[in-house]
Amino acid sequence: MILPMAALLLGVAAGRLFLPLQWMGGVDMLISISLSVVVLAAGVDIGEKKILFRKLADYHARILAVPAGTVIGSIAFGCVLGKLLGMPLNESAAVSAGFGYYSLSAGVLSDLGGASLGPWRLCPIYSGSCWPF
Amino acid sequence: MLHIFVLVVAGIAIGWLAEGKERLKKLFVAAGKVQQAGTLVLLFAMGLWLGGNQEFWSNIGTLGLNGFLFAAATVTGSALCVYLLVRLLFRREGKA
């Protein structure tokens, strides 16, 4: 927990103090590349744990109550909050759909959202309902 | 966006096929380390992106507040919904 936070804060400080504006494209590329590497490695990690798939069969569909509840609850409450804050529904749903994968969701949103998500796309870095990393 | 899904599926396929093979044990150790190191690089890069973004610094108060509100709303919503669903689905099982 401390190490990821330190990496983020170090990045913010370095970006504020040293980063030339013309290097922002390079930063975007670094985000894309590291995101791809993390996602591939996470996939290998999941595929290796065949026991997870066996557990899924043992508990039948009921075990999906946890992920389904997380998805429904996060997005529903996020959308209500977005409505209160005057955000478009698709943006608040996208920001709420990170489910704690802050390293993944913020990267994907910056990739997808571009200017259309405006300053809101900076939010997902804080959002999420669990902290798997 | 599509490449993210392709990479996850490819990773799962690699992990699935390589599981149990003694020679490939190192692959999983490497995958774990790569995941941790990659996450740190990713967070550092996102920090750079935020730090170098003027829009971020001029809206930092609003963004911080909204970020906090989104975190609180999604945590509350998911915990509540999972609690209700688990109660509903697993209590019936207990009684049966």
Side-chain angles (χ1 to χ4, degrees):
Chain A
M1 190 63 212
I2 293 173
L3 220 54
M5 197 70 104
L8 179 68
L9 291 178
L10 200 68
V12 171
R16 171 76 167 166
L17 299 173
F18 309 117
L19 191 74
L21 205 59
Q22 60 268 31
W23 283 22
M24 283 301 258
V27 172
D28 267 348
M29 195 186 282
L30 184 62
I31 291 177
S32 286
I33 293 170
S34 47
L35 184 64
S36 305
V37 171
V38 168
V39 163
L40 182 70
V44 173
D45 218 26
I46 297 169
E48 177 213 5
K49 296 188 174 70
K50 286 188 180 166
I51 189 145
L52 287 181
F53 296 93
R54 269 181 233 125
K55 281 249 187 286
L56 197 65
D58 284 350
Y59 286 97
H60 304 292
R62 282 174 314 147
I63 197 70
L64 295 176
V66 177
T70 309
V71 170
I72 297 166
S74 286
I75 297 183
F77 273 55
C79 285
V80 171
L81 176 69
K83 190 91 186 151
L84 293 175
L85 295 174
M87 269 172 86
L89 200 63
N90 58 345
E91 292 184 9
S92 55
V95 169
S96 316
F99 312 124
Y101 278 89
Y102 56 91
S103 48
L104 181 76
S105 64
V108 171
L109 277 183
S110 345
D111 241 20
L112 276 180
S116 70
L117 265 179
W120 296 101
R121 73 192 159 130
L122 303 170
C123 286
I125 214 161
Y126 306 100
S127 100
S129 45
C130 53
W131 302 85
F133 288 126
Chain B
M1 187 63 205
L2 185 67
H3 79 279
I4 304 262
F5 288 108
V6 172
L7 284 168
V8 173
V9 173
I12 292 177
I14 294 170
W16 183 274
L17 294 172
E19 196 257 350
K21 295 195 172 64
E22 203 56 38
R23 277 181 307 158
L24 296 174
K25 239 180 180 167
K26 278 186 186 156
L27 174 76
F28 299 119
V29 180
K33 282 186 180 155
V34 164
Q35 204 180 329
Q36 283 173 0
T39 303
L40 292 180
V41 174
L42 182 57
L43 285 168
F44 177 74
M46 287 196 299
L48 278 180
W49 187 82
L50 284 177
N53 196 313
Q54 211 40 57
E55 199 181 28
F56 170 70
W57 292 108
S58 46
N59 293 299
I60 190 163
T62 329
L63 285 171
L65 179 66
N66 288 330
F68 175 78
L69 290 175
F70 263 99
T74 50
V75 169
T76 311
S78 59
L80 200 68
C81 200
V82 168
Y83 174 73
L84 292 174
L85 268 178
V86 167
R87 249 181 84 121
L88 192 77
L89 293 174
F90 287 81
R91 206 172 57 166
R92 273 186 196 159
E93 154 97 353
K95 278 182 180 169

